Amino acid sequence: MKVVVEFLESGRFRDNFWDGEFYVNRGERRAVTPSYAAQLITNQIASLRYIEETKDS
């Protein structure tokens, strides 16, 4: 399962250690893991948009 967040600031981020870094601009939406979304929201870097359902869940 992934959670879609909207970034409130631009910058470089990394969801998982094994994934590469990604760059986002302010206002851009991106699917991230629930734990990373919680971290971004707590630090007021992103806001929750919606939860993306997968066939496996």
Side-chain angles (χ1 to χ4, degrees):
M1 177 170 65
K2 294 279 187 168
V3 177
V4 177
V5 295
E6 182 175 325
F7 284 84
L8 303 174
E9 58 184 64
S10 300
R12 292 181 187 260
F13 302 95
R14 182 186 302 242
D15 191 356
N16 294 309
F17 178 76
W18 52 88
D19 292 336
E21 285 186 341
F22 58 91
Y23 182 83
V24 294
N25 291 314
R26 184 175 191 248
E28 200 172 320
R29 294 180 181 173
R30 188 166 181 105
V32 297
T33 58
S35 60
Y36 194 53
Q39 179 183 351
L40 292 169
I41 293 166
T42 300
N43 293 329
Q44 298 179 347
I45 296 171
S47 62
L48 182 65
R49 284 296 145 211
Y50 63 88
I51 296 175
E52 181 181 289
E53 295 293 328
T54 61
K55 293 180 181 179
D56 298 333
S57 55

